[in-house]
PDB file of all heavy atoms in Angstrom:
ATOM      1  N   PHE L 231      10.397  35.393 -17.695  1.00  0.00           N
ATOM      2  CA  PHE L 231       9.782  34.505 -18.708  1.00  0.00           C
ATOM      3  C   PHE L 231      10.883  33.615 -19.238  1.00  0.00           C
ATOM      4  O   PHE L 231      12.053  33.970 -19.369  1.00  0.00           O
ATOM      5  CB  PHE L 231       9.266  35.310 -19.862  1.00  0.00           C
ATOM      6  CG  PHE L 231       7.971  36.054 -19.560  1.00  0.00           C
ATOM      7  CD1 PHE L 231       7.785  36.771 -18.351  1.00  0.00           C
ATOM      8  CD2 PHE L 231       6.905  36.104 -20.494  1.00  0.00           C
ATOM      9  CE1 PHE L 231       6.633  37.502 -18.148  1.00  0.00           C
ATOM     10  CE2 PHE L 231       5.771  36.784 -20.258  1.00  0.00           C
ATOM     11  CZ  PHE L 231       5.629  37.477 -19.072  1.00  0.00           C
ATOM     12  N   PRO L 232      10.556  32.361 -19.622  1.00  0.00           N
ATOM     13  CA  PRO L 232      11.523  31.500 -20.274  1.00  0.00           C
ATOM     14  C   PRO L 232      11.896  32.143 -21.631  1.00  0.00           C
ATOM     15  O   PRO L 232      11.014  32.695 -22.320  1.00  0.00           O
ATOM     16  CB  PRO L 232      10.747  30.187 -20.487  1.00  0.00           C
ATOM     17  CG  PRO L 232       9.695  30.189 -19.456  1.00  0.00           C
ATOM     18  CD  PRO L 232       9.306  31.621 -19.320  1.00  0.00           C
ATOM     19  N   PRO L 233      13.183  32.100 -22.005  1.00  0.00           N
ATOM     20  CA  PRO L 233      13.549  32.583 -23.341  1.00  0.00           C
ATOM     21  C   PRO L 233      13.043  31.630 -24.446  1.00  0.00           C
ATOM     22  O   PRO L 233      12.602  30.545 -24.113  1.00  0.00           O
ATOM     23  CB  PRO L 233      15.061  32.594 -23.268  1.00  0.00           C
ATOM     24  CG  PRO L 233      15.358  31.493 -22.282  1.00  0.00           C
ATOM     25  CD  PRO L 233      14.333  31.534 -21.270  1.00  0.00           C
ATOM     26  N   ILE L 234      13.173  32.067 -25.670  1.00  0.00           N
ATOM     27  CA  ILE L 234      12.740  31.253 -26.815  1.00  0.00           C
ATOM     28  C   ILE L 234      13.932  30.984 -27.716  1.00  0.00           C
ATOM     29  O   ILE L 234      14.715  31.896 -28.006  1.00  0.00           O
ATOM     30  CB  ILE L 234      11.662  31.986 -27.612  1.00  0.00           C
ATOM     31  CG1 ILE L 234      10.466  32.337 -26.692  1.00  0.00           C
ATOM     32  CG2 ILE L 234      11.173  31.156 -28.781  1.00  0.00           C
ATOM     33  CD1 ILE L 234       9.724  31.152 -26.113  1.00  0.00           C
ATOM     34  N   VAL L 235      14.117  29.750 -28.119  1.00  0.00           N
ATOM     35  CA  VAL L 235      15.202  29.413 -29.036  1.00  0.00           C
ATOM     36  C   VAL L 235      14.662  29.499 -30.493  1.00  0.00           C
ATOM     37  O   VAL L 235      13.687  28.822 -30.883  1.00  0.00           O
ATOM     38  CB  VAL L 235      15.719  27.978 -28.783  1.00  0.00           C
ATOM     39  CG1 VAL L 235      16.805  27.623 -29.803  1.00  0.00           C
ATOM     40  CG2 VAL L 235      16.270  27.874 -27.352  1.00  0.00           C
ATOM     41  N   LEU L 236      15.278  30.372 -31.266  1.00  0.00           N
ATOM     42  CA  LEU L 236      14.896  30.584 -32.635  1.00  0.00           C
ATOM     43  C   LEU L 236      16.138  30.436 -33.539  1.00  0.00           C
ATOM     44  O   LEU L 236      17.150  31.102 -33.306  1.00  0.00           O
ATOM     45  CB  LEU L 236      14.333  32.007 -32.805  1.00  0.00           C
ATOM     46  CG  LEU L 236      13.098  32.397 -32.049  1.00  0.00           C
ATOM     47  CD1 LEU L 236      12.827  33.930 -32.098  1.00  0.00           C
ATOM     48  CD2 LEU L 236      11.867  31.677 -32.640  1.00  0.00           C
ATOM     49  N   ASP L 237      16.006  29.556 -34.527  1.00  0.00           N
ATOM     50  CA  ASP L 237      17.124  29.278 -35.434  1.00  0.00           C
ATOM     51  C   ASP L 237      18.405  28.975 -34.720  1.00  0.00           C
ATOM     52  O   ASP L 237      19.493  29.450 -35.116  1.00  0.00           O
ATOM     53  CB  ASP L 237      17.310  30.484 -36.369  1.00  0.00           C
ATOM     54  CG  ASP L 237      16.055  30.849 -37.146  1.00  0.00           C
ATOM     55  OD1 ASP L 237      15.239  29.926 -37.351  1.00  0.00           O
ATOM     56  OD2 ASP L 237      15.869  32.013 -37.487  1.00  0.00           O
ATOM     57  N   GLY L 238      18.346  28.272 -33.589  1.00  0.00           N
ATOM     58  CA  GLY L 238      19.507  27.856 -32.823  1.00  0.00           C
ATOM     59  C   GLY L 238      20.068  28.933 -31.907  1.00  0.00           C
ATOM     60  O   GLY L 238      21.084  28.718 -31.256  1.00  0.00           O
ATOM     61  N   HIS L 239      19.404  30.086 -31.817  1.00  0.00           N
ATOM     62  CA  HIS L 239      19.881  31.159 -30.938  1.00  0.00           C
ATOM     63  C   HIS L 239      18.851  31.422 -29.833  1.00  0.00           C
ATOM     64  O   HIS L 239      17.618  31.279 -30.040  1.00  0.00           O
ATOM     65  CB  HIS L 239      20.106  32.460 -31.692  1.00  0.00           C
ATOM     66  CG  HIS L 239      21.339  32.420 -32.589  1.00  0.00           C
ATOM     67  ND1 HIS L 239      21.998  33.556 -32.969  1.00  0.00           N
ATOM     68  CD2 HIS L 239      21.973  31.399 -33.169  1.00  0.00           C
ATOM     69  CE1 HIS L 239      22.984  33.243 -33.737  1.00  0.00           C
ATOM     70  NE2 HIS L 239      23.023  31.938 -33.869  1.00  0.00           N
ATOM     71  N   VAL L 240      19.314  31.854 -28.651  1.00  0.00           N
ATOM     72  CA  VAL L 240      18.453  32.178 -27.565  1.00  0.00           C
ATOM     73  C   VAL L 240      18.012  33.614 -27.677  1.00  0.00           C
ATOM     74  O   VAL L 240      18.796  34.514 -27.780  1.00  0.00           O
ATOM     75  CB  VAL L 240      19.243  31.987 -26.220  1.00  0.00           C
ATOM     76  CG1 VAL L 240      18.314  32.353 -25.002  1.00  0.00           C
ATOM     77  CG2 VAL L 240      19.671  30.516 -26.061  1.00  0.00           C
ATOM     78  N   HIS L 241      16.667  33.773 -27.653  1.00  0.00           N
ATOM     79  CA  HIS L 241      16.074  35.142 -27.813  1.00  0.00           C
ATOM     80  C   HIS L 241      15.177  35.458 -26.614  1.00  0.00           C
ATOM     81  O   HIS L 241      14.509  34.587 -26.057  1.00  0.00           O
ATOM     82  CB  HIS L 241      15.208  35.183 -29.096  1.00  0.00           C
ATOM     83  CG  HIS L 241      16.054  35.239 -30.341  1.00  0.00           C
ATOM     84  ND1 HIS L 241      16.247  36.440 -31.048  1.00  0.00           N
ATOM     85  CD2 HIS L 241      16.688  34.246 -30.990  1.00  0.00           C
ATOM     86  CE1 HIS L 241      17.010  36.121 -32.095  1.00  0.00           C
ATOM     87  NE2 HIS L 241      17.252  34.867 -32.140  1.00  0.00           N
ATOM     88  N   SER L 242      15.182  36.715 -26.244  1.00  0.00           N
ATOM     89  CA  SER L 242      14.277  37.243 -25.189  1.00  0.00           C
ATOM     90  C   SER L 242      13.787  38.626 -25.578  1.00  0.00           C
ATOM     91  O   SER L 242      13.940  39.098 -26.727  1.00  0.00           O
ATOM     92  CB  SER L 242      15.051  37.219 -23.851  1.00  0.00           C
ATOM     93  OG  SER L 242      16.191  38.063 -23.907  1.00  0.00           O
ATOM     94  N   ASP L 243      13.232  39.289 -24.588  1.00  0.00           N
ATOM     95  CA  ASP L 243      12.567  40.586 -24.760  1.00  0.00           C
ATOM     96  C   ASP L 243      13.336  41.582 -25.590  1.00  0.00           C
ATOM     97  O   ASP L 243      14.512  41.918 -25.262  1.00  0.00           O
ATOM     98  CB  ASP L 243      12.297  41.136 -23.341  1.00  0.00           C
ATOM     99  CG  ASP L 243      11.283  42.268 -23.331  1.00  0.00           C
ATOM    100  OD1 ASP L 243      11.297  43.130 -24.297  1.00  0.00           O
ATOM    101  OD2 ASP L 243      10.458  42.317 -22.447  1.00  0.00           O
ATOM    102  N   GLY L 244      12.731  42.095 -26.649  1.00  0.00           N
ATOM    103  CA  GLY L 244      13.409  43.104 -27.462  1.00  0.00           C
ATOM    104  C   GLY L 244      13.727  44.348 -26.780  1.00  0.00           C
ATOM    105  O   GLY L 244      14.617  45.152 -27.174  1.00  0.00           O
ATOM    106  N   GLY L 245      13.003  44.677 -25.613  1.00  0.00           N
ATOM    107  CA  GLY L 245      13.252  45.873 -24.894  1.00  0.00           C
ATOM    108  C   GLY L 245      14.611  45.913 -24.204  1.00  0.00           C
ATOM    109  O   GLY L 245      15.028  46.999 -23.727  1.00  0.00           O
ATOM    110  N   VAL L 246      15.328  44.775 -24.161  1.00  0.00           N
ATOM    111  CA  VAL L 246      16.671  44.811 -23.536  1.00  0.00           C
ATOM    112  C   VAL L 246      17.587  45.712 -24.413  1.00  0.00           C
ATOM    113  O   VAL L 246      18.382  46.487 -23.870  1.00  0.00           O
ATOM    114  CB  VAL L 246      17.272  43.381 -23.515  1.00  0.00           C
ATOM    115  CG1 VAL L 246      18.705  43.420 -23.091  1.00  0.00           C
ATOM    116  CG2 VAL L 246      16.444  42.505 -22.592  1.00  0.00           C
TER     117      VAL L 246
END
Side-chain angles (χ1 to χ4, degrees):
F231 286 43
I234 304 296
V235 178
L236 299 166
D237 304 332
H239 287 205
V240 178
H241 287 258
S242 59
D243 197 319
V246 172

